[in-house]
Amino acid sequence: MENKYWNYLQLVKQQSPLVHNITNFVVMNNTANALLAIGASPVMAHATTEVGEFVTISKSLVINIGTADEYWAAAMFMAADAANETATPWVLDPVGAGATSFRDEILQALLERKPTVIRGNASEIIALAKQNTTATRGVDSTDSTNSAIDAAQYLHQTYGSVVCVSGETDIVVDGEEITYLQNGHIMMTKVTGLGCTASALIGAFIGVTENTKDAVIAAMSLIGIAGELAVKQSVGPGSLQLNLIDQLYNITADQFNSHMKISKG
Amino acid sequence: MENKYWNYLQLVKQQSPLVHNITNFVVMNNTANALLAIGASPVMAHATTEVGEFVTISKSLVINIGTADEYWAAAMFMAADAANETATPWVLDPVGAGATSFRDEILQALLERKPTVIRGNASEIIALAKQNTTATRGVDSTDSTNSAIDAAQYLHQTYGSVVCVSGETDIVVDGEEITYLQNGHIMMTKVTGLGCTASALIGAFIGVTENTKDAVIAAMSLIGIAGELAVKQSVGPGSLQLNLIDQLYNITADQFNSHMKISKG
Amino acid sequence: MENKYWNYLQLVKQQSPLVHNITNFVVMNNTANALLAIGASPVMAHATTEVGEFVTISKSLVINIGTADEYWAAAMFMAADAANETATPWVLDPVGAGATSFRDEILQALLERKPTVIRGNASEIIALAKQNTTATRGVDSTDSTNSAIDAAQYLHQTYGSVVCVSGETDIVVDGEEITYLQNGHIMMTKVTGLGCTASALIGAFIGVTENTKDAVIAAMSLIGIAGELAVKQSVGPGSLQLNLIDQLYNITADQFNSHMKISKG
């Protein structure tokens, strides 16, 4: 049977979309390698003098505030504005939302620019919606994924974004219907920045289709399935980091279709 | 027999201390992965607007000047001040001490803030103590570890820090008694930034105990032993880098206790 | 038979030249590890307060504009000036040349400082020579290597640089004679920044010989051959990234001499 999500991956391979990343120092290498592995074409650039120009030649933009400072924040605002002016879809990864007032200010300014997609863990999505006062402990998730559904729906209603809450079960919110994705493995939380990689892969998929929700589902399923396959070959998070890249590169239609676990509610 | 150093690692796994790193671009990914592998919770953040706030929610701080510039140096000073105000223990990794006057100025300003721990190679520790004029060649060690003992004792007496000189034999100075650790493998010097990783692991251990000397010994022994085990599985420094992460994740009490080589003098 | 290119690698191992890199965030870790693997001694430093001083103690300088911003560009100009004043050879890696006017301005300013070596893909070399209007799509190569020969010769004649156009066939231009190198493997294009690594290796080789053309040939052959050997052990670009480091570390004279594919025209 045809799997439309798999087909989106084929579009990425065929079109090799240029994905402009303004992301954090920790994950840049892995993010670039993950995008290359699935056939996309990554660019990392943050100079305020050029981000606008890079957005105009890119198919999508990924903004990740993991190691942002004042300069990088300014570049992110400019890039988001350029993306909106050119109707370029963009992803917001709100790393560490709620941890400091600086992050919350940057994130509020980015939210008001209406990201096409927001992807974070439960703590981050909740902090973003300011619906409770759970303190974020840096980049770790302390809330269960389910408890973030209300926050995701609030963000979707307020900013129009497709919202993905990643966790043991990934949740995709785009209106009333909720999509649940149950791929992935707990060891993936011991590799730094796989959430950031997920956001970058979303960037690739929204670069080849206007069906944003399907693009998010395809990207999250892909990294979850590739992660499951990679864990089987890994004795720890060190080998997992590289095996995940190899699996993203080698994954087959059979593997993708037989492993994908999706449900709606 | 109970090994107290091993027990500190169990505390790290149980408490998952948040370790705030202001470190260099070269090692951020590996440092984060090493901290995750032992059960700690890494945050990398350097914006002057938020470093103070991050220190207040962290159990420890690691400052590494490897790729510092004026902005990052200012962030380091602010973070060290915040650590001192909140009695948060912090580690100084003086990468390239003695190589340029810029580094020496930053380091002097950090020393005066009295780091809880200083960890560097022999060249760096000697340069830090300004006890000789050996030119540091960037981040490589050219002095033997033993010749740095005087420098380490001077730094300890002047700034109150526990000082670790890493090399073929690691030396921990905290007053008159000197601790010698003889784990590790020469191939580890061919992987960039394993000294930086060691400093980050020290950050995790001082986040779970006030016995700073024991924390340093536990961290240095852990990376040395994990490195020895990893070298046996590696054909070169590329595979060593990832096998080390896997070993940090998988190391057992038996492995730790049977490999640890410690002596006092 | 004696292979002079192999002998240059032995000089790198014997002299362990200090190579000062001002490079991009994506590749810093791999670049440092590749330099360590072949026996060189890498330093990454970009603070305008210290780059001049670092150049004076280094054997060579590598400037890579991949993630440059205004501050980093200023540091690059200062470092290039210091290199010229001290007769320190330096490499320019013009990542993304032609993609934005900011990059073109930085690159023009660097070109006018007459790099000892320029290494880029065909699109970048052509953009640098402004000989056509092919839009560069970020850091990917879209032009065939051969079409860049004219551009390379123009750059050589105008700025005196040895110019290397990397691609399926690597081309080295230093006057009328053109050298063709046919090592490497297509999978290497799926690992981020191997071109940047090549530039860094060139930095190591020009740090041990004044025969710049031979140094470039030796470095490009080395990474191409190590890459071929590594691909045989790799199931994807994730494992290739680390196997390449292992091969750079372990390569033998027999492997180097029997695999090297060089021709002149």
Side-chain angles (χ1 to χ4, degrees):
Chain A
M1 202 190 84
E2 189 89 337
N3 180 327
K4 67 177 171 178
Y5 303 109
W6 174 256
N7 290 344
Y8 287 125
L9 176 58
Q10 306 318 302
L11 286 183
V12 171
K13 290 183 190 295
Q14 287 157 25
Q15 299 177 15
S16 193
L18 190 65
V19 181
H20 178 190
N21 298 270
I22 307 181
T23 187
N24 71 71
F25 302 124
V26 183
V27 304
M28 279 195 194
N29 186 265
N30 289 330
T31 297
N33 277 328
L35 286 169
L36 285 171
I38 68 166
S41 185
V43 165
M44 271 67 181
H46 69 282
T48 52
T49 323
E50 73 173 358
V51 287
E53 221 172 325
F54 258 124
V55 168
T56 65
I57 58 170
S58 299
K59 293 298 182 190
S60 63
L61 169 69
V62 179
I63 293 181
N64 176 310
I65 68 156
T67 56
D69 57 26
E70 300 78 9
Y71 179 91
W72 284 69
M76 291 169 184
F77 302 155
M78 292 172 68
D81 287 341
N84 288 341
E85 282 160 23
T86 55
T88 304
W90 62 287
V91 184
L92 172 62
D93 190 329
V95 179
T100 66
S101 52
F102 176 62
R103 290 187 185 232
D104 287 346
E105 283 164 27
I106 297 175
L107 288 170
Q108 193 56 40
L110 288 167
L111 280 180
E112 284 162 10
R113 286 167 168 89
K114 306 196 174 204
T116 315
V117 178
I118 304 168
R119 190 219 58 84
N121 63 36
S123 291
E124 292 162 347
I125 296 298
I126 290 168
L128 219 52
K130 294 186 195 296
Q131 289 187 342
N132 68 19
T133 57
T134 305
T136 291
R137 299 177 62 252
V139 298
D140 285 336
S141 181
T142 49
D143 293 90
S144 81
T145 300
N146 282 325
S147 66
I149 290 182
D150 285 352
Q153 284 179 322
Y154 169 81
L155 293 171
H156 171 70
Q157 285 155 16
T158 311
Y159 303 108
S161 313
V162 173
V163 182
C164 174
V165 187
S166 60
E168 192 177 336
T169 297
D170 298 327
I171 296 170
V172 182
V173 170
D174 179 32
E176 288 306 307
E177 192 188 65
I178 298 172
T179 307
Y180 299 90
L181 303 169
Q182 293 188 295
N183 291 110
H185 189 283
I186 185 73
M187 199 199 280
M188 295 172 76
T189 64
K190 292 296 183 183
V191 179
T192 193
L194 290 195
C196 307
T197 298
S199 295
L201 296 189
I202 290 171
F205 281 83
I206 60 173
V208 297
T209 175
E210 292 186 353
N211 189 329
T212 305
K213 183 167 97 172
D214 280 2
V216 174
I217 292 170
M220 295 306 295
S221 295
L222 176 60
I223 191 167
I225 295 167
E228 286 174 25
L229 296 169
V231 165
K232 289 181 191 168
Q233 304 171 323
S234 303
V235 296
S239 40
L240 176 54
Q241 179 164 292
L242 83 92
N243 287 331
L244 176 62
I245 300 292
D246 284 352
Q247 290 294 339
L248 287 172
Y249 181 75
N250 287 313
I251 193 167
T252 64
D254 273 359
Q255 289 175 319
F256 188 89
N257 296 338
S258 65
H259 282 78
M260 188 174 183
K261 289 186 194 145
I262 182 172
S263 58
K264 312 242 173 185
Chain B
M1 202 191 86
E2 189 90 337
N3 181 325
K4 66 177 172 178
Y5 304 108
W6 174 255
N7 290 344
Y8 288 125
L9 176 58
Q10 305 320 302
L11 287 183
V12 171
K13 290 183 191 295
Q14 287 157 26
Q15 298 178 16
S16 193
L18 191 66
V19 182
H20 178 191
N21 299 269
I22 307 181
T23 188
N24 71 70
F25 302 125
V26 183
V27 304
M28 281 197 194
N29 185 266
N30 289 331
T31 297
N33 277 328
L35 286 168
L36 285 171
I38 68 166
S41 186
V43 164
M44 271 67 182
H46 68 284
T48 52
T49 322
E50 72 172 359
V51 287
E53 221 172 325
F54 258 123
V55 167
T56 65
I57 58 170
S58 299
K59 294 297 182 190
S60 64
L61 169 69
V62 179
I63 292 180
N64 175 311
I65 69 156
T67 56
D69 57 26
E70 301 77 9
Y71 180 91
W72 284 68
M76 290 170 185
F77 302 155
M78 293 172 67
D81 287 340
N84 289 341
E85 282 160 24
T86 54
T88 304
W90 62 287
V91 185
L92 173 61
D93 189 328
V95 179
T100 67
S101 53
F102 176 62
R103 290 187 185 233
D104 287 346
E105 283 164 28
I106 297 175
L107 288 170
Q108 193 55 41
L110 288 167
L111 279 180
E112 284 162 11
R113 287 168 167 87
K114 306 196 175 205
T116 315
V117 179
I118 304 169
R119 191 220 58 83
N121 62 37
S123 292
E124 291 162 347
I125 296 298
I126 290 168
L128 219 51
K130 294 185 194 297
Q131 289 186 342
N132 71 18
T133 56
T134 305
T136 292
R137 299 176 61 254
V139 299
D140 284 337
S141 181
T142 49
D143 292 272
S144 82
T145 300
N146 281 324
S147 67
I149 290 181
D150 286 352
Q153 284 179 322
Y154 169 82
L155 292 171
H156 172 70
Q157 286 154 16
T158 311
Y159 302 108
S161 313
V162 175
V163 181
C164 174
V165 186
S166 60
E168 192 178 337
T169 297
D170 299 325
I171 295 171
V172 182
V173 170
D174 179 32
E176 288 306 308
E177 192 188 65
I178 298 172
T179 306
Y180 300 90
L181 304 170
Q182 293 188 295
N183 291 109
H185 188 283
I186 186 73
M187 198 199 280
M188 295 172 75
T189 64
K190 293 296 183 183
V191 179
T192 192
L194 289 194
C196 307
T197 298
S199 295
L201 296 188
I202 290 171
F205 281 84
I206 61 174
V208 298
T209 175
E210 292 185 354
N211 189 329
T212 305
K213 184 166 96 172
D214 280 2
V216 173
I217 292 170
M220 295 305 296
S221 295
L222 176 60
I223 191 168
I225 296 166
E228 286 174 25
L229 297 169
V231 164
K232 289 181 191 167
Q233 304 171 323
S234 303
V235 296
S239 40
L240 176 54
Q241 179 163 292
L242 84 92
N243 287 331
L244 176 62
I245 300 293
D246 284 352
Q247 290 295 338
L248 287 172
Y249 180 76
N250 287 314
I251 193 167
T252 64
D254 273 358
Q255 288 175 320
F256 187 88
N257 296 339
S258 64
H259 282 78
M260 189 175 181
K261 289 186 194 146
I262 183 173
S263 58
K264 312 242 174 187
Chain C
M1 201 190 84
E2 189 90 336
N3 180 326
K4 67 178 172 178
Y5 304 108
W6 174 255
N7 290 345
Y8 288 125
L9 176 58
Q10 305 319 302
L11 287 183
V12 171
K13 290 183 191 294
Q14 287 157 26
Q15 299 178 15
S16 193
L18 190 65
V19 181
H20 178 192
N21 299 271
I22 307 181
T23 187
N24 70 71
F25 301 125
V26 183
V27 304
M28 280 196 193
N29 185 265
N30 290 330
T31 298
N33 276 328
L35 286 169
L36 285 170
I38 68 165
S41 185
V43 165
M44 270 67 181
H46 69 283
T48 52
T49 323
E50 73 172 358
V51 288
E53 221 173 324
F54 258 123
V55 167
T56 65
I57 58 170
S58 300
K59 294 297 182 190
S60 63
L61 169 69
V62 179
I63 292 180
N64 175 312
I65 69 155
T67 57
D69 57 26
E70 300 78 8
Y71 180 92
W72 284 69
M76 290 170 185
F77 301 154
M78 292 171 68
D81 287 341
N84 288 341
E85 282 160 24
T86 55
T88 304
W90 62 288
V91 185
L92 172 62
D93 189 329
V95 179
T100 66
S101 53
F102 175 62
R103 290 187 183 232
D104 287 345
E105 283 164 28
I106 297 175
L107 288 170
Q108 193 55 40
L110 288 167
L111 279 180
E112 283 162 11
R113 287 166 168 88
K114 305 195 176 206
T116 315
V117 179
I118 305 168
R119 190 219 59 82
N121 63 36
S123 292
E124 292 162 348
I125 296 298
I126 291 169
L128 219 51
K130 295 186 195 297
Q131 289 185 339
N132 69 20
T133 56
T134 304
T136 292
R137 299 176 62 252
V139 298
D140 285 337
S141 181
T142 49
D143 293 272
S144 82
T145 300
N146 281 325
S147 66
I149 290 182
D150 285 352
Q153 284 179 322
Y154 169 82
L155 293 170
H156 171 71
Q157 286 155 16
T158 311
Y159 303 107
S161 315
V162 174
V163 181
C164 174
V165 187
S166 60
E168 193 177 337
T169 297
D170 298 326
I171 295 171
V172 182
V173 169
D174 179 31
E176 287 306 307
E177 192 189 66
I178 298 172
T179 307
Y180 299 90
L181 303 170
Q182 293 188 295
N183 292 109
H185 188 283
I186 185 73
M187 199 199 280
M188 295 172 75
T189 63
K190 292 297 182 182
V191 179
T192 192
L194 290 194
C196 307
T197 298
S199 295
L201 296 188
I202 290 171
F205 281 83
I206 61 173
V208 298
T209 175
E210 292 186 353
N211 189 331
T212 305
K213 183 167 96 172
D214 280 2
V216 173
I217 292 170
M220 296 305 295
S221 295
L222 177 61
I223 191 168
I225 295 167
E228 286 174 25
L229 296 169
V231 164
K232 289 181 190 167
Q233 304 172 323
S234 304
V235 296
S239 40
L240 176 55
Q241 179 164 290
L242 83 92
N243 287 331
L244 176 63
I245 300 292
D246 284 352
Q247 290 294 339
L248 287 172
Y249 181 76
N250 287 313
I251 193 167
T252 64
D254 273 358
Q255 288 175 320
F256 187 89
N257 295 340
S258 64
H259 282 77
M260 189 175 182
K261 289 187 194 147
I262 182 173
S263 57
K264 312 241 176 187

